Each structure stands twice: as structure tokens, then as C-alpha cells.
Amino acid sequence: MHAQSISDSIRSKVNSLSSPEEKIVLYAETAENYNEKDPALAVIFALKALRISEENNLEIYAANIKYLLGRIYSQLSDLDEASKYLYESLEYAIESDLYLLQCRIYNNLSVIYSTFGNYEKCREEAFNALHAAKEADSMRNIAYLNIANSYMIFDIDSAEFYLLKALKETSPNSLDEYYNLSRIYNSLGAVYFFRNDFSKAVNFYEYALGYTDDLRIRSMLFINIGEALIYTDIHD
């Protein structure tokens, strides 16, 4: 469906709703649905949700929409806008002791700083996420994973230490955790690749494959496996 047709359809549905909260939720859910397949369109719906939130002084809605906008702008590789909205959301989350939201924001900021190559700031935000995760009793594994990745280039032993902590916090029996298990095993594969233990790297990359059906991630993992196998042959 064309973007204008989608917008017209959603606007029609919004006009049939009476409360601002219902309108915000509809725009936000639509933005979430388009976050990956059309993030530029998702921004439009998220900004509409934010406008209604701010016009009606619905601060908690505004904070959550800003978090959503941070994630969408990350998809668009607009890291300045992403970090701006994430920090605005974080301010409210801290004032209101919303630890789960804090944890999510800090983890997203950690990934952004990693993308910028600022690994010290990446690590700082990941440790902030870990503190919030302990308060929320949730998402410690993601914080440990981001801490590990901040060490990956400089301190491979520390990276492995935190990856194993992440693995311990991640249930292999939960379908919701499969994506995280795939990320953890992929990073453990990288640890052993950097140590020149290529056969062990292949094992972890193959573990990672078993926890994802995402074609992009699987393609990346097959490339990692192929590269490790090439180095295995060279070193043998």
C-alpha cells in the first residue's frame, strides 16, 4: 500500500477515536509496525503520537514515544536525532523511577556509541543499563552483552567474562530470548576468532544459527563461519 494511502487510512481510524490516549496508542502501534520495513513512514506516525502526547500533557506517553523515535532514527542511521530523543526520554524515566524504560534507553544509547566507535561511552551506558536492569529485575543479559561488546576490540578476556554472564542470564527455553542467544553466541564466536581458535569460533557461530530465522543475521553468520573455516585451513 502507498504511504499516502496508509496515512489516510490511519487518519480515518484516529478520527473515529475519542480519547487522546487511544489516538496516541494507534499512531504508536502503527509506527512500531513500520519501524523496520519503512522507518521513514514510522517517523511520521511517531511524531503525530508525540504531538498529541505533548498537547495533552501526557508525559509518560511522550517519554515512551520519544524512546520509540530514538529507535526509529537509529534504523535510519540518524544517530544524532536518535540520541536526542533517547536522552529526552531518559530524563523523564529517571525522574519517575521507571527502571525498565531506563534500561532500554541506556542499552540503545550503548549501541549508538558503539556505532560511533566511542567504546568508553558505550561501556558507560551499558553499565548504567545494568544498574537499571538490576532495579527492574529484567534485561541484565542485554546489558552484559553490550558491556562485552564494548571490550571486544581492546580486552578479549573481559569481553568473554561478560558474555558468559549474559549467557547465564538468558533462558534457552524462552522463545523471546532466542534473538539474544543468537547475538551472545555470535559474539562468543568472535572472541574465539580473535584468539585464533577458529574451530571453536565455528562452533559458536553454528550455535547462533540455531537460534535465529532472520535471513540477514543468518547470512552474516554463514559469512563468519566461512571466514573461520578459511583460517582453520590456513592454520592447519
Side-chain angles (χ1 to χ4, degrees):
M1 188 182 293
H2 189 271
Q4 186 59 51
S5 299
I6 296 168
S7 295
D8 291 343
S9 174
I10 296 300
R11 188 182 304 113
S12 176
K13 292 178 182 178
V14 166
N15 289 338
S16 71
L17 300 173
S18 56
S19 74
E21 290 88 350
E22 289 177 310
K23 295 177 181 181
I24 293 165
V25 169
L26 179 56
Y27 275 132
E29 287 179 347
T30 306
E32 189 73 69
N33 289 338
Y34 282 96
N35 185 17
E36 291 195 7
K37 54 188 175 183
D38 191 345
L41 183 59
V43 165
I44 294 172
F45 292 122
L47 287 173
K48 289 178 184 293
L50 180 60
R51 177 179 56 79
I52 297 171
S53 301
E54 292 179 335
E55 286 175 351
N56 291 274
N57 295 316
L58 297 169
E59 291 183 312
I60 190 166
Y61 284 88
N64 279 284
I65 298 302
K66 287 176 181 179
Y67 166 64
L68 173 58
L69 277 163
R71 289 170 46 230
I72 297 171
Y73 276 113
S74 292
Q75 283 282 106
L76 289 166
S77 298
D78 189 339
L79 302 183
D80 289 333
E81 282 295 293
S83 57
K84 182 192 84 168
Y85 280 112
L86 288 171
Y87 278 119
E88 287 180 7
S89 179
L90 180 62
E91 184 177 350
Y92 179 81
I94 291 173
E95 289 174 356
S96 305
D97 292 333
L98 300 175
Y99 293 109
L100 188 57
L101 180 58
Q102 287 178 41
C103 183
R104 289 171 173 157
I105 294 168
Y106 283 129
N107 276 319
N108 276 269
L109 287 168
S110 179
V111 172
I112 287 173
Y113 283 114
S114 176
T115 304
F116 275 127
N118 187 341
Y119 296 106
E120 184 175 342
K121 191 67 176 174
C122 164
R123 189 177 308 125
E124 177 186 331
E125 299 295 19
F127 273 111
N128 285 336
L130 181 60
H131 172 73
K134 288 177 178 178
E135 293 290 339
D137 195 24
S138 179
M139 297 179 69
R140 284 187 292 268
N141 56 342
I142 310 298
Y144 282 132
L145 175 59
N146 286 331
I147 293 169
N149 287 336
S150 77
Y151 281 112
M152 189 68 72
I153 296 176
F154 311 101
D155 184 348
I156 207 68
D157 291 337
S158 292
E160 182 185 30
F161 174 79
Y162 285 106
L163 285 169
L164 292 176
K165 279 184 168 291
L167 190 60
K168 186 177 179 181
E169 293 282 347
T170 308
S171 170
N173 300 316
S174 170
L175 289 174
D176 292 338
E177 293 283 26
Y178 274 23
Y179 172 71
N180 295 324
L181 283 167
S182 182
R183 293 176 65 203
I184 294 166
Y185 281 127
N186 179 47
S187 292
L188 281 166
V191 164
Y192 285 97
F193 186 92
F194 289 137
R195 285 179 175 160
N196 295 331
D197 189 341
F198 301 111
S199 61
K200 202 161 188 176
V202 168
N203 288 339
F204 279 114
Y205 292 142
E206 288 178 340
Y207 290 153
L209 273 174
Y211 287 100
T212 182
D213 292 324
D214 188 301
L215 293 178
R216 290 173 300 174
I217 297 174
R218 289 180 68 83
S219 295
M220 176 195 69
L221 288 166
F222 280 123
I223 291 170
N224 291 347
I225 290 169
E227 189 173 8
L229 288 172
I230 288 170
Y231 279 97
T232 300
D233 291 340
I234 291 172
H235 281 257
D236 286 348

